[in-house]
Amino acid sequence: MSAALPGTRPHVSVLLDETVDALAIQPGSRIVDATFGAGGYSLAFLERGAEVAAFDRDPDAIEGGQSIVTASGGRLVLIEAPFSALDSELEARGLVPVDGVAMDIGVSSMQLDQAERGFSFQQDGPLSMRMAGEGMTAADFVNEADEAEIADVLFHYGEEPRSRRVAKAIVAARPLTRTGELANVVRKALGYKPHDKKDPATRTFQAIRIHVNRELDELAEGLAAAERVLKPGGRLAVVTFHSLEDRMVKKFLRERSGSEPAGSRHRPATAAARAPSFETPAKAVRPSEEEIAANPRARSATLRVARRTAAPAWVS
C-alpha cells in the first residue's frame, strides 16, 4: 500500500489490503467507509482514486480526521453519524448510489488506548465506554440495572458462562465509577491468576460495551442500509472481531444471497421467494500469520465480502 496522503498520519487497519482489493476500487469510485476511526481504510481508498464518504459517531474521530479531509482535496466527506443512518445521510447529500461499502466492526484502537474513554480494563479510567458523545454510560448501566438484566447482558453479549455470579458481585459492589473497580470486581468473582492467558474481565467489558452502544442493533441496521445504497455490482466488505458479529454478517449474506436453507426458522417461506439482493458470498478471509505477528489485534478478525445484484433491497 502506498504512503499516506501528504499532511496525514499513517494508520494500519486490519485486513487492509484484502478489503481494498475486495472492493475493486477504480478511480472515481464512490466508496463508503462506514467506520472511519483513525482513517486507515479511507486513506487507502483515496490512494486508489476513490471519492469517499466516511462515517463515525465518535466526535473525536471526526475532529481527528480533518487533516485527511484537507489533504484529500475534497474527495473525502466526513459524517458524524452511526452507520445505521448511512442511507439517509448519503441521500441527503446526493451521494447515492455507491460502488462499495466497507465496515470495520467494533471498538477502535484509539478508543482502547485512551483511558479516559473507559473502554479498557487494562487502564483505569471513568466507566464510560460510549462511542458517541452522548447516551447511557457503562456506569449508568452497572449501577442502575437489576441483577437479572446485568446477567442477561453478560451472557448474551459476552458469552460469559458465569454471568449470574458476576452480576451478583457487581450489584454487591455498587456504586462503581471506574474501569479498574469493575475489572477487580469481576476478577475477584471469577478468580484471577497473574499467569492466566485471558483476563477474566474481558467478556464482561465486551458485553457492557456492546450493550451501551447498541452494537448488534447498529450492525443489523447498518447492513440493511448498505444493501439500500449499493448499486448493482457494488461490493460490501465487513470485518468483524468476535463470533457474535461474524454470525450476524454470515447469516445476513447467506439469507440475502439465497443460500440460507429454505424453510428454516431463520428464513421462512415468504423470505425464500424474494430475489437475492447479493450474489453468493465468497469464502471468509482471515489475516495472515505475518499480519497477526505484526498486529495481534488482527488475530480474531474475519472479512466477508459480497456483490450486490440488481434485485430490490429487502424490506423487513
Side-chain angles (χ1 to χ4, degrees), residues 44-99:
F45 303 156
L46 291 166
E47 289 160 8
R48 289 285 184 97
E51 305 282 336
V52 180
F55 286 75
D56 207 297
R57 54 176 161 170
D58 184 344
D60 290 348
I62 298 298
E63 182 180 355
Q66 295 307 313
S67 62
I68 305 180
V69 173
T70 301
S72 74
R75 290 191 294 120
L76 172 64
V77 175
L78 284 182
I79 302 170
E80 185 179 337
F83 54 66
S84 59
L86 70 85
D87 54 341
S88 59
E89 293 286 345
L90 292 174
E91 287 170 2
R93 293 166 173 80
L95 297 177
V96 291
V98 303
D99 298 288

Side-chain angles (χ1 to χ4, degrees), residues 197-212:
K197 290 183 178 181
K198 186 173 184 178
D199 193 305
T202 302
R203 293 189 181 94
T204 292
F205 271 66
Q206 172 187 295
I208 295 173
R209 189 202 79 220
I210 289 173
H211 178 67
V212 165

Side-chain angles (χ1 to χ4, degrees), residues 115-118 120 123-128 177-180:
E116 65 272 16
R117 298 299 299 273
S120 177
Q123 305 179 73
D124 185 54
L127 195 53
S128 176
T177 61
R178 310 285 298 181
T179 57

Side-chain angles (χ1 to χ4, degrees), residues 124-287:
D124 185 54
L127 195 53
S128 176
M129 300 194 197
R130 294 187 302 189
M131 291 183 177
E134 58 186 16
M136 178 176 64
T137 67
D140 293 334
F141 173 65
V142 299
N143 290 317
E144 297 172 11
D146 62 34
E147 185 177 319
E149 182 182 0
I150 294 172
D152 285 346
V153 165
L154 301 188
F155 181 77
H156 291 295
Y157 295 159
E159 299 179 298
E160 171 55 68
R162 292 175 287 177
S163 59
R164 295 187 183 280
R165 180 185 298 183
V166 176
K168 183 176 182 178
I170 287 174
V171 170
R174 297 196 297 206
L176 296 166
T177 61
R178 310 285 298 181
T179 57
E181 292 174 338
L182 176 60
N184 287 333
V185 167
V186 178
R187 290 165 183 155
K188 185 176 180 181
L190 297 181
Y192 178 55
K193 301 177 180 63
H195 61 270
D196 287 348
K197 290 183 178 181
K198 186 173 184 178
D199 193 305
T202 302
R203 293 189 181 94
T204 292
F205 271 66
Q206 172 187 295
I208 295 173
R209 189 202 79 220
I210 289 173
H211 178 67
V212 165
N213 294 289
R214 296 183 62 254
E215 290 181 34
L216 297 185
D217 290 338
E218 279 289 317
L219 177 55
E221 294 166 16
L223 291 170
E227 177 190 33
R228 290 191 289 270
V229 301
L230 280 165
K231 65 174 59 172
R235 309 291 183 91
L236 173 64
V238 187
V239 177
T240 59
F241 290 89
H242 63 72
S243 59
L244 290 174
E245 300 164 342
D246 184 54
R247 286 198 295 267
M248 285 186 65
V249 175
K250 182 178 180 180
K251 177 182 180 298
F252 174 86
L253 294 179
R254 283 175 58 85
E255 181 181 68
R256 294 305 207 263
S257 65
S259 55
E260 186 79 4
S264 75
R265 63 187 179 92
H266 298 297
R267 187 171 183 262
T270 54
R274 303 183 196 183
S277 57
F278 284 96
E279 291 184 346
T280 304
K283 185 178 179 181
V285 177
R286 302 276 295 154

